[in-house]
Amino acid sequence: MRRKTREIFIGKVGIGGEHPITVQSMTNTNTKDIESTVRQILELEKQGCDIVRVAVPDREAAESIKKIKQRIGIPLIADIHFDYRLAIESIKNGVDGLRINPGNIGSKDKVKEVVSACKERQIPIRIGVNSGSIKKEILEKYNGVNENSMVYSALEHVKILEDLDYRNIKISLKATDVQLTVNAYKKVAEITEYPLHLGITEAGTPWNGTIKSSIGIGSLLLNGIGDTIRISLTGDPVEEVKVGKQILRTLGLLRDKIEIISCPTCGRTQIDLISLVNKVEKRIGNIQKPIKIAIMGCAVNGPGEAREADLGVAGGVGCALLFKKGEIIKKVEEDKLLDELVNEIEKL
Ligand code: SF4
């Protein structure tokens, strides 16, 4: 069962409470380069990104937010380190959320100024603890980098905001180590009701990062923990969104596309199943239907799986049986299988 969390809104997108789990990403363009940043965000939107974050390292980047916001459809978060003026400027320019750690802003007055600007426009703040940037004193107190020092670090930032009567908060506790990340999120989930933004930080290239993130984020989601996710990949952010959405689909938390079940093939396979599945995947990639199709190589497991799906294929010798809602509807020659299957999918 999903953990109960407080509800917050980044723009119009709800996080926590009963809201569906969202997928976020971060641009890797220079935020001052408005054209490239907008182009990338629109591409992320096309892939189903729910919320996007941009780096705001200086005043010019904060000013760009205004123009970027006018041309995109999804909520925008400003990622700020240390400089409270950039937070204020980003809020003035219409940003929907901030990623800033109040403990790193400086004097109480500066934090107060940021918080009152956030209060005025109902801008949530994400407190983001990274295993690599925990304060020395906390590391000493909790014996180095572990779930205790990560959670304590987050709670210290939370307290600063709560003392200013601000609870429009979400929390992330990211580490490069999967087990540590999972432990830290589990721990914080026991002691706070704030929504959690999940991620494995600096997870690596798309291949490694996808595996690391799927295991870490996937196991937390399976335990009902997590309200929004970001896959952190060294590559095109579009890949982050694709992976994030697929993790949600795999866990049954998102039903927007066709799910393909296919067998691994073996010595019994008598049709070119691998090529068939790849071609089907390409042809139906853009079809938005929450259905299940099973493409199986033979009659051993094939008919069983094929019957469970909305549409199914069980391969034979140079041909296959086509199933619809559990019933055999026709026998199709191998060379016509792809078209027949896609045709039936479109009819559903
Ligand atoms: Fe082999 Fe048939 Fe299983 Fe596919 S479904 S792996 S062909 S036994």
Side-chain angles (χ1 to χ4, degrees), residues 263-266 268-269 296-298 300-302:
C263 81
T265 73
C266 72
R268 293 184 193 90
T269 323
M296 311 299 288
C298 79
V300 173
N301 296 323

Side-chain angles (χ1 to χ4, degrees), residues 285-303:
N286 289 326
I287 303 179
Q288 305 275 335
K289 279 183 189 172
I291 59 169
K292 198 189 263 189
I293 62 169
I295 308 177
M296 311 299 288
C298 79
V300 173
N301 296 323

